Amino acid sequence: MAKEIFFFLYRDVLIGLSSLRYRFLFCLMMFTAMAILSVYQLQTSAELLGMERNMLTYTDLLFSLFQGVDYEIVEKKFLPFPFSWFLLQMMIPFLLGAYARDDLFLHTSFLFVRAKRRLSIWLAKVLFSLLAVILVFLSFLAVSWLIAVVFFSPDIGFREYGDAKIKPAIGGGWTAVRLTWLTIAFPFLLNLCGAAVYTMFSLLIRPVYLFLIFASIYILSVYSANPLLPGSYGMILRHGMFDPARGFSAAACVMYFSVTLLAAGVIGYRLFKRADILYFGKD
């Protein structure tokens, strides 16, 4: 079975990367524009504090891009909506689009005749979506690091700006390295889980509807402290280091996404297994 899964995964990598290349380039350009805008905002903030631009670091840039919004917006809904965070989360559903569904529809005879088990096809699609998330995030990190090199410092840590703006907000015992790691890890896990769930159900639900469902869930997550909504687990500002009373822990985040993946996997595969082959691709 492993050999069969690898065959279909290898096929998805070859076809999928080619099919999604323009969407990937668009996401990369969007992220680059957002990162440059963040640089401008950070430099303006530093200048208002009377600091030099070289007082900024790679940590400051990553934090600015992925921080999300704290729980204060739940009580004060007039606060600014975190558009940068929202757009970053929606890039993965946009990137994956209808690839898995369209591929099943266009190559149904080849896939189902070649496969001994439907599970192999299903797993290959899900694994490909996870690889896509890894590729996207590695690209985002590389681009943001190059931008930090050009505009200020690629260091991971706090300088004068981080000491003034970020360090006072986090509890004792939290270093800049741990903050940087968690700032990346939480949205990465959110998108990894989201990509798998999106792919599982895009085989059965029209992707445009699924895209709107994801957007609605993320918007609800911004304005809610409900631990059942996934968006909060992708915001470092809602972690316990910033909000000891209501913030989530890394363990809770991992457990939430593990349970979500397990439940979605069981439901998604059972529906996929029972679906009529002629159903795939129908609107």
Side-chain angles (χ1 to χ4, degrees):
M1 182 178 174
K3 187 175 180 180
E4 187 174 77
I5 294 172
F6 179 79
F7 168 78
F8 285 115
L9 177 59
Y10 180 71
R11 175 187 173 277
D12 276 321
V13 169
L14 292 179
I15 298 175
L17 291 181
S18 176
S19 175
L20 303 179
R21 65 186 185 279
Y22 294 119
R23 287 175 178 256
F24 173 75
L25 289 174
F26 178 79
C27 289
L28 204 57
M29 288 189 293
M30 281 286 294
F31 179 81
T32 302
M34 292 165 63
I36 292 174
L37 178 61
S38 291
V39 167
Y40 172 76
Q41 292 171 337
L42 285 169
Q43 290 179 339
T44 301
S45 178
E47 289 174 355
L48 290 173
L49 293 172
M51 301 177 187
E52 297 292 332
R53 294 182 178 184
N54 59 7
M55 289 297 103
L56 296 162
T57 66
Y58 185 42
T59 296
D60 297 321
L61 179 58
L62 289 176
F63 185 78
S64 174
L65 287 166
F66 295 107
Q67 64 183 318
V69 66
D70 60 27
Y71 286 115
E72 188 179 6
I73 199 173
V74 176
E75 290 86 24
K76 302 176 182 178
K77 295 186 168 42
F78 58 85
L79 292 174
F81 183 83
F83 283 104
S84 294
W85 176 87
F86 176 73
L87 290 175
L88 285 170
Q89 310 320 308
M90 294 308 300
M91 282 186 187
I92 296 302
F94 168 79
L95 174 69
L96 297 175
Y99 164 71
R101 183 185 180 93
D102 289 347
D103 185 58
L104 276 177
F105 176 59
L106 294 172
H107 305 102
T108 299
S109 57
F110 169 80
L111 292 170
F112 284 91
V113 169
R114 187 66 184 261
K116 295 179 181 177
R117 301 176 182 86
R118 283 195 179 192
L119 180 61
S120 300
I121 301 172
W122 184 82
L123 275 178
K125 299 294 183 198
V126 174
L127 290 173
F128 171 73
S129 71
L130 301 183
L131 290 176
V133 173
I134 293 171
L135 176 62
V136 166
F137 262 75
L138 288 176
S139 301
F140 286 176
L141 293 176
V143 167
S144 55
W145 184 83
L146 288 173
I147 289 174
V149 169
V150 172
F151 289 98
F152 30 82
S153 168
D155 295 345
I156 293 177
F158 293 140
R159 290 190 179 179
E160 190 176 339
Y161 182 84
D163 286 337
K165 296 289 287 186
I166 303 175
K167 200 170 182 179
I170 61 179
W174 293 97
T175 64
V177 173
R178 290 181 70 186
L179 172 68
T180 306
W181 160 246
L182 293 177
T183 299
I184 299 167
F186 291 143
F188 174 72
L189 289 174
L190 173 62
N191 280 277
L192 208 62
C193 180
V197 173
Y198 180 90
T199 300
M200 290 174 194
F201 290 99
S202 70
L203 301 175
L204 304 164
I205 303 172
R206 288 189 66 186
V208 64
Y209 298 146
L210 207 53
F211 185 88
L212 294 174
I213 290 171
F214 268 62
S216 301
I217 290 173
Y218 287 140
I219 292 172
L220 285 173
S221 297
V222 168
Y223 292 106
S224 174
N226 191 328
L228 296 179
L229 292 173
S232 291
Y233 298 99
M235 304 183 198
I236 187 65
L237 284 179
R238 295 190 178 184
H239 183 265
M241 76 169 78
F242 287 96
D243 191 339
R246 294 180 294 181
F248 65 89
S249 65
C253 175
V254 172
M255 183 176 294
Y256 176 88
F257 289 133
S258 299
V259 172
T260 301
L261 275 177
L262 180 62
V266 171
I267 296 170
Y269 179 64
R270 286 176 67 89
L271 293 174
F272 176 76
K273 189 176 181 180
R274 293 179 180 181
D276 191 320
I277 292 177
L278 297 177
Y279 164 80
F280 297 112
K282 289 184 179 180
D283 294 331

